[in-house]
Amino acid sequence: MDTYKELLKGNKLWVQEKLRQDPKFFERLSKGQSPEVLWIGCSDSRVPANEITGTNPGDIFVHRNIANMVVHSDMNMLSVLDYAVSILKVKHVIVCGHYGCGGVKAAMTNEQYGLVDNWLRHIKDVYRLHQEELDSITDEEQRLNRFAELNVIEQVFDLSKTSIIQNAWRSRSLPMIHGWIYDVATGILQDLGVSLHSKSKLPSIYNVTGKVVAGLGV
Ligand SMILES: [Zn+2]
């Protein structure tokens, strides 16, 4: 019942510890932020970006949602991405998934979960794209793990399809975009080796030119 009081108590202790290590820590942070990394991760409480990377406030700009999705009509994600890439000029964007993801697991079933089904459908699209590979994995946990990895890989591609990323690549050849997976059972982060910093691997239909055309002609 008093969990929220524990949080406030925890905050006081944390402030004391930070000031003990570095008396100017908060004074410096109050002057502004210049993180080099945008993190797009899962809302899962076991995957906090700063803690698992051993970083501090000010180091990582963060967006989290169920199953670390890059949905191209999600204004929240797009706003975070645009601010991080166009204003903060981050050098890296990391999509980080995790094994044992509840969202990915739910998407692999045929159950109805309610409102969230509309979100999970984007993850089901990933299954459809990789159905042959995923159906061939007989062990359910292994299939789920691979599904979580493929979901990250597809979100990296989805990032590269945005005009935000393509405009940044055109003007400054950055950010690098990466796909990582986290193992909640070991605490280890793994790079899935799908980093991109150009649209060379992207099917040409997704390329956007640098010029904005007025009107859709409808
Ligand atoms: Zn998750």
Side-chain angles (χ1 to χ4, degrees):
M1 198 170 107
D2 287 337
T3 306
Y4 81 102
K5 285 185 186 162
E6 292 298 318
L7 299 183
L8 293 169
K9 215 158 82 184
N11 168 255
K12 282 197 183 77
L13 293 172
W14 175 75
V15 170
Q16 279 169 16
E17 179 57 23
K18 281 286 171 200
L19 288 174
R20 193 187 61 76
Q21 291 169 1
D22 177 1
K24 302 242 179 214
F25 183 73
F26 295 105
E27 192 185 314
R28 210 169 44 249
L29 279 179
S30 72
K31 295 196 170 90
Q33 62 170 337
S34 53
E36 295 192 358
V37 175
L38 166 64
W39 175 279
I40 299 177
C42 183
S43 299
D44 193 303
S45 62
R46 298 166 296 177
V47 198
N50 280 124
E51 201 153 351
I52 67 173
T53 56
T55 51
N56 274 309
D59 291 339
I60 306 182
F61 204 65
V62 174
H63 175 79
R64 290 167 74 181
N65 60 40
I66 291 173
N68 40 269
M69 300 301 288
V70 175
V71 175
H72 60 71
S73 56
D74 175 1
M75 282 305 292
N76 186 353
M77 183 280 297
L78 291 171
S79 302
V80 170
L81 181 67
D82 192 38
Y83 188 74
V85 171
S86 310
I87 308 297
L88 295 172
K89 303 205 183 304
V90 295
K91 294 177 180 163
H92 302 275
V93 180
I94 297 161
V95 178
C96 183
H98 67 103
Y99 296 133
C101 181
V104 173
K105 197 173 177 180
M108 213 164 76
T109 74
N110 295 106
E111 301 293 334
Q112 186 179 151
Y113 293 94
L115 179 77
V116 75
D117 291 328
N118 299 290
W119 189 256
L120 299 180
R121 218 200 58 221
H122 295 291
I123 316 173
K124 286 178 185 282
D125 292 341
V126 174
Y127 199 103
R128 181 173 51 81
L129 280 170
H130 299 277
Q131 184 144 10
E132 208 175 322
E133 179 185 347
L134 289 167
D135 281 352
S136 72
I137 304 172
T138 48
D139 182 85
E140 197 171 328
E141 196 181 334
Q142 276 179 23
R143 188 162 73 242
L144 189 60
N145 286 350
R146 184 59 183 153
F147 190 16
E149 291 176 0
L150 290 169
N151 185 46
V152 168
I153 293 167
E154 287 301 328
Q155 306 320 304
V156 170
F157 281 129
D158 283 339
L159 268 179
S160 74
K161 293 169 194 167
T162 64
S163 53
I164 297 166
I165 290 291
Q166 291 191 24
N167 286 339
W169 282 347
R170 193 175 293 109
S171 65
R172 62 185 178 102
S173 302
L174 281 173
M176 285 273 278
I177 57 179
H178 313 273
W180 290 2
I181 193 99
Y182 177 71
D183 190 338
V184 288
T186 63
I188 302 292
L189 271 170
Q190 188 195 326
D191 188 341
L192 291 170
V194 290
S195 300
L196 294 174
H197 59 92
S198 78
K199 51 188 179 182
S200 60
K201 286 185 185 164
L202 202 62
S204 62
I205 189 69
Y206 294 113
N207 284 348
V208 290
T209 60
K211 198 177 156 214
V212 178
V213 177
L216 293 173
V218 289

